[in-house]
């Protein structure tokens, strides 16, 4: 090493004795007052009268208690060794043999002794610094051998950025104590699973030439790793449930050889057969989900779930966490039993570092409303994304550097070393169970073929794929190792390979006799009481949402009366006092109707989860579902209706749409008996969760046969607040509607909103419900309902004009939806117009066309029919309404002209546009 480089890194061998004396004196007063490793060092070094003499007999006895007079040469080297140990801990992961293909990147300074002021002459010298790594006073040679074994072999550990010293100590002790010795039978099992991984891919490669399968080859050790995970956790921690999310790479292999999905079914899917159930369109085979109850090798039954996943690779992360949390809440008695269930996310390296959803999801991991007891993250590190090298795909050193946000430890593991992979799995499980936090395993492997098997990777990575083509796979490497150690012989290998090949051939031949592909329903047991419905007859089934007025009033007093023994903010007291006055007058506004819908459902034993940004108070300070005393005690009056009632959980979320909406969708995926609602702060914020809406909410049933009853609350309405907070983009949701897949609703009365929420849980099936909720109508004096409308009414898909007294006088019909109705009503009243009927489309999809046809017959003297909307012509409902009703109605459109932006940013312009709409409507 050159002098200049040595000077550059001179900090590694600089010792400041005054600082050491200060630390030592603190240690003598209180060993816990200094950093843990220094405390261990001083304890081992024993800077007292007894031991200093062993270093230098010539030290003046008169000064034997003075730290500064100890043999400086020896002390100096002790601390050089301490620096060496600490650098192995901090930077050892840079100098491992974890990469099976590429030469490791060079990192400076290296771990060469010269960089620490040490030399080969010191190798046989003994140092108390060995206490720091649990081996006691030991030679430098032994210390280095020990450090390399822990930090620089097939596992590289990143953990020194963790702020909790006890956690650091636990990690170090785990690796110091865990000298894993696998039995011959265990090693044979690992080899068996590696053979299955490799042979399965080879079989498909020859039988279905050129078809995409996204091979696991290059990361085959994932299969024995998962097997050992369920074995270890189920036996040591009695875990029962494993919720797994993964993208394409290796998915079919995991489905067949881990989930034990029938080979014949997978091979049948490769034969491109049609689905027997024409109701569903299905999806490509490497997107499908699967659920399985299977036995471990020790005979314990466990549940495995592989969540369906589209090509938006990391989107499934949020879904997995939501399902896990639902099971914790519903099955495993809240967080006290999170050891019973483990979420496992299997990432690709490029997606992990490139997709923002990863950051959103890990930020949920420790929050009260979203934590799941820690997630085990496994990265199938292909060292390439599609055709992009890692040097072009990220700015961070590692793809796992996102883990440092949570201060989670990361293990970088050579995927070719199956026993090291198993060791990493054991550590990950123990850490998760000890701290209930996330843990990352970076499985460094490669991708044998291109992005898929039809790709030619040599177009873009000729050198890399030249190396890969010459590389021996992990199965053959491990086979040679076991042969060399006498654990397995050639006959054993031949029999093992032959047995598995026969299993594949049997499955292949059985697939030939399968006429139709079958779409396995994910979480079928949980949804067995909720059929898939798609016909109009089924979708418009009548349900009774009524409840007695006495019950409503009784619940009202319980949820709108503040506790008398608590002190509240004066405005809070005023809000609740006014609510009680309205109940006395038999009236409810929008927020009261919402809370009463929840209250009546809770009274019937139905649980509710409400999540989103500022949902406790409400974006517009309207909900107040959680109230705070002056001492900031939180009170949820909805949970105090009666003993044995359902429970409502209300969680203000982080400023995240994609992650939180995905989480709540996952929650609703497992819990058909829970009313699960996600509210956007403003409706246009739903844009941030568009992938969840497109890939799951709107199409999950059709693609994967999964059902879901999530409710989206999206504030919508033009009130001069500018382009960002006017439109919830209704048109986008309507483009996603087909085959009765969604309910899309824009209510205008508190009563209709009340019945809509109750209807969602009373239906004998589940569909996602998109509700465009109001803003100004929250406090509009006309947007009120009488309590008898709640007790005796029902949800109305279409609302006729209640103010028309003589149908024969009506010559003009105005159809509209949402808040514009009240603007039209005010205009109509100001003009004293009595020849116009205002008809509201409340449920936009599915559209109840029969009811509209009956209204057209009813108003037999109509001469002109308008569709009026406040959204620009190219937005809102117009295109949808025109497409659906063009054969029965000849509409005239009144709306702002088409625009690329939802609304003007000028309030004056907004008023002009609104007034022009109203003027045209009543010309």
């Amino acid at each position: 090493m050159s002098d200049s480089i040595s000077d550059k890194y001179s900090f590694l061998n600089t010792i400041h004795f005054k600082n050491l004396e200060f630390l030592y004196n603190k240690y003598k007063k209180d060993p816990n007052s200094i950093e843990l490793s220094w405390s261990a060092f001083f304890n081992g070094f024993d800077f007292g009268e007894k031991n200093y003499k062993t270093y230098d007999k010539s030290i003046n006895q008169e000064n034997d208690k003075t730290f500064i007079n100890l043999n400086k040469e020896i002390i100096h080297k002790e601390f050089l060794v301490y620096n060496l140990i600490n650098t192995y801990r901090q930077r050892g992961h840079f100098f491992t043999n974890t990469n099976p293909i590429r030469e490791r990147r060079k990192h400076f300074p290296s771990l060469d002794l010269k960089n620490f002021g040490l030399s080969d002459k010191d190798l046989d010298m003994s140092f108390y610094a060995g206490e720091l790594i649990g081996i006691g006073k030991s030679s430098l040679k032994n210390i280095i051998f020990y450090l390399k074994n822990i930090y620089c072999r097939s596992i590289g550990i990143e953990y020194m950025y963790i702020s909790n010293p006890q956690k650091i100590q636990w990690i170090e002790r785990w690796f110091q104590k865990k000298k894993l010795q696998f039995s011959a039978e265990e090693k044979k099992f690992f080899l068996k699973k590696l053979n299955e991984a490799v042979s399965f891919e080879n079989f498909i490669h020859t039988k279905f030439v050129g078809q995409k399968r996204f091979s696991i080859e290059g990361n085959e050790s994932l299969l024995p790793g998962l097997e050992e995970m369920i074995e270890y956790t189920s036996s040591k921690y009695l875990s029962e449930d494993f919720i797994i999310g993964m993208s394409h790479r290796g998915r079919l292999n995991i489905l067949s050889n881990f989930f034990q999905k029938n080979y014949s079914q997978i091979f049948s899917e490769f034969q491109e057969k049609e689905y027997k159930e024409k109701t569903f369109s299905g999806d490509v085979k490497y997107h499908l989900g699967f659920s399985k109850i299977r036995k471990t090798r020790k005979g314990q039954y466990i549940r495995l779930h592989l969540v369906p996943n589209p090509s938006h690779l990391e989107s499934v992360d949020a879904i997995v966490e939501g399902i896990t949390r639902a099971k914790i809440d519903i099955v495993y008695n809240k967080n006290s039993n999170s050891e019973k269930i483990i979420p496992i996310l299997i990432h690709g390296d490029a997606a992990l570092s490139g997709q923002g959803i990863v950051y959103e999801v890990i930020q949920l991991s420790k929050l009260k409303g979203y934590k799941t007891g820690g997630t085990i993250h496994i990265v199938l590190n292909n060292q390439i994304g599609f055709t992009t090298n890692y040097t072009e795909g990220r700015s961070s050193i590692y793809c796992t550097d996102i883990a440092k946000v949570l201060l989670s430890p990361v293990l970088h593991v050579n995927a070719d070393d199956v026993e090291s992979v198993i060791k990493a799995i054991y550590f990950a499980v123990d850490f998760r169970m000890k701290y209930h936090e996330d843990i990352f395993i970076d499985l460094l492997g490669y991708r044998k073929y291109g992005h898929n098997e039809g790709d030619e990777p040599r177009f873009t990575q000729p050198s890399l794929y030249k190396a890969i083509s010459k590389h021996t796979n992990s199965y053959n490497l491990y086979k040679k190792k076991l042969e060399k150690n006498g654990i397995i012989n050639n006959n054993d290998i031949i029999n093992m390979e032959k047995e598995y090949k026969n299993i594949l051939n049997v499955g292949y031949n059985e697939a030939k006799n399968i006429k139709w592909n079958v779409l396995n329903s994910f979480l079928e047991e949980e949804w067995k009481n909720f059929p898939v419905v798609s016909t109009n007859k089924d979708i418009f089934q009548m349900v009774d949402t009524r409840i007695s007025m006495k019950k409503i009033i009784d619940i009202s007093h319980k949820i709108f009366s503040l506790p008398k023994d608590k002190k509240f903010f004066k405005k809070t007291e005023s809000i609740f006092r006014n609510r009680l006055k309205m109940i006395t007058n038999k009236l409810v506004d929008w927020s009261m109707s919402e809370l009463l819908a929840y209250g009546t459902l809770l009274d019937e034993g139905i649980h509710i989860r409400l999540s989103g940004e500022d949902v406790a108070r409400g974006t517009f300070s309207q909900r107040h579902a959680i109230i705070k005393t002056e001492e900031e005690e939180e009170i949820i009056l909805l949970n105090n209706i009666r003993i044995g009632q359902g429970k409502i959980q209300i969680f203000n979320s982080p400023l995240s749409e994609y992650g939180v909406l995905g989480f709540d969708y996952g929650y609703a995926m497992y819990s058909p008996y829970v009313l699960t609602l996600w509210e956007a702060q403003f409706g246009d914020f739903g844009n941030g969760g568009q992938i969840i809406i497109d890939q799951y909410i709107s199409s999950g049933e059709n693609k994967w046969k999964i059902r879901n009853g999530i409710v989206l609350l999206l504030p919508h309405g033009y009130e001069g607040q500018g382009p960002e907070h006017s439109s919830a983009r209704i048109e986008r949701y309507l483009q996603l509607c087909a085959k009765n897949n969604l309910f899309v609703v824009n209510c205008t009365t508190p009563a209709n909103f009340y019945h809509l929420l109750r209807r969602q849980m009373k239906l004998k099936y589940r569909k996602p419900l998109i509700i465009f909720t109001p803003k100004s109508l929250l406090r509009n004096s006309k947007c009120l309902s009488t309590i008898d409308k709640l007790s005796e009414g029902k949800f109305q898909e279409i609302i006729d004009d209640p103010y028309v007294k003589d149908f024969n006088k009506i010559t003009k019909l105005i159809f509209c939806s949402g808040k514009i109705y009240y603007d039209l009503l005010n205009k109509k009243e100001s003009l004293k117009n009595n020849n116009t009927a205002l008809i509201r489309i409340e449920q936009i999809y599915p559209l109840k066309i029969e009811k509209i046809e009956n209204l057209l017959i009813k108003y037999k003297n109509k001469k002109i029919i308008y569709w009026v909307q406040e959204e620009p012509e190219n937005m809102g409902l117009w295109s949808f309404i025109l497409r659906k009703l063009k054969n029965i109605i000849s509409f005239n459109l009144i709306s702002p002209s088409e625009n690329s932006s939802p609304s003007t940013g000028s309030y004056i312009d907004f008023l002009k546009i609104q007034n022009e709409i109203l003027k045209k409507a009543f010309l």
Side-chain angles (χ1 to χ4, degrees), residues 80 98 197 223 240 285 298 319 366 388 461 516 564 601 788 866 896:
L80 294 179
T98 51
L223 183 56
E240 301 171 359
K285 47 195 163 289
K298 292 179 181 175
I319 315 296
K366 296 182 181 181
T388 303
Q461 280 82 20
W516 305 98
K564 294 180 180 179
L601 289 171
D788 66 296
Y866 286 127

Side-chain angles (χ1 to χ4, degrees), residues 207-244:
K207 295 292 186 182
F208 305 101
V209 179
Q211 286 209 43
K212 294 179 184 179
R213 68 179 189 279
F214 298 96
S215 162
I216 202 175
E217 291 162 289
N219 270 299
E220 301 93 342
S221 53
L222 173 67
L223 183 56
L226 289 176
E227 286 285 351
E228 280 305 292
M229 183 185 292
I230 63 170
E231 200 72 32
Y232 187 60
T233 51
S234 61
S235 59
K236 182 175 181 179
Y237 297 102
L238 304 180
S239 301
E240 301 171 359
D241 258 304
F242 301 83
I243 315 295
I244 301 176

